[in-house]
Amino acid sequence: MILMQVNNLMKSFGGSVLFQNIQIEIQTNDRIAIVGRNGAGKSTLLKILTEEIAYDEGEIYKPKELEIGYLAQHNDITSTKTIWDEMMTVFAHLQREEKELETFAAKIEEMSQQENYDDKLIHEYSRRQDQFAEDGGYRYESDVRGVLIGLGFTEEEFSFQISDLSGGQKTRLALGKLLLQQPDVLILDEPTNHLDIATLTWLETYLTSYPGAIVIVSHDRYFLDKIVNIVYEIAHKQTTKYHGSYSRFLEQKSLNYERDMKRYERQQKEIKDMEDFVQRNIARASTTKRAQSRRKQLNKMTKLDRPLGEESSASFSFDIAKTSGNDVLRIENYS
């Protein structure tokens, strides 16, 4: 099922086009990476998908009821609650339902003592209890505990005030809250920031079994290799879609470039040979018809553009102001 479709999207800043003709399709259970050089517009594209900023041209199709969760690069939680209480706000609806079910149960218990049964009330209680279980009502506390521990928080820290946490801890909590909400499309911008190896391994496992679609921007190629099965590259202001892991994308991109370059060079040689033939033979009466025929072929030929390689990188060089000695630093009796 298609959850979101992006057609011919264009965004510019100050009259300069950042990207254009962007084409993206997000389906249920897709694991998508958005890759490209710094400044290509990856984070801007994510903000457009989440409606944080507007786009200039194009169309985005998505159902009105589609739930999108977004973790920005520098996202954290501002709250006066404890870690545990803040995470539990995700399940406020289940907590309310739990209290109402307790009220139902008390009424039914009272009726049983009076041997005065209300079949309608019992049926409604049974129906809501089944729905409560299906919605995770009997496991949400376990889910919160599992996510917090997976993200590197100890049970002793569950009672800590969020306002006392570091920026990195708040970012991890923002990620945890998003994971517990389980939106239809989970959009993550550099989610591996502030994560150690153990936490990163847990996150990889969690995302592998995530029930919705995931869109990720990350410079961690090993993380992307573990998660994604589709890669959209933003290069030369446009997107190209690749199927497979990040490593597969690199291989396919290289093969595509080599293939397209060979086609281009082969056609360029063909064009040059035909132009040389026309130039040598157009004035000769015996060969002019053949030369005219070649000229028509040239005019009708669809010319291939030269394949675009890697975009240029910034280049820096530094001169030596002063030559140092061989021993830059010496320490004795260090403790």
Side-chain angles (χ1 to χ4, degrees), residues 139-157:
R139 67 169 193 272
Y140 67 86
E141 289 191 10
S142 175
D143 289 343
V144 171
R145 184 174 286 102
V147 166
L148 286 175
I149 291 174
L151 289 172
F153 294 95
T154 64
E155 296 209 20
E156 291 75 18
E157 292 173 323

Side-chain angles (χ1 to χ4, degrees), residues 84 87-99 102 132-133 135-148 180:
W84 179 261
M87 294 299 105
M88 290 295 284
T89 61
V90 175
F91 302 106
H93 62 295
L94 290 177
Q95 291 175 307
R96 289 193 298 270
E97 181 65 9
E98 193 170 20
K99 289 180 180 179
E102 289 172 358
F132 181 71
D135 293 341
Y138 296 112
R139 67 169 193 272
Y140 67 86
E141 289 191 10
S142 175
D143 289 343
V144 171
R145 184 174 286 102
V147 166
L148 286 175
L180 290 168

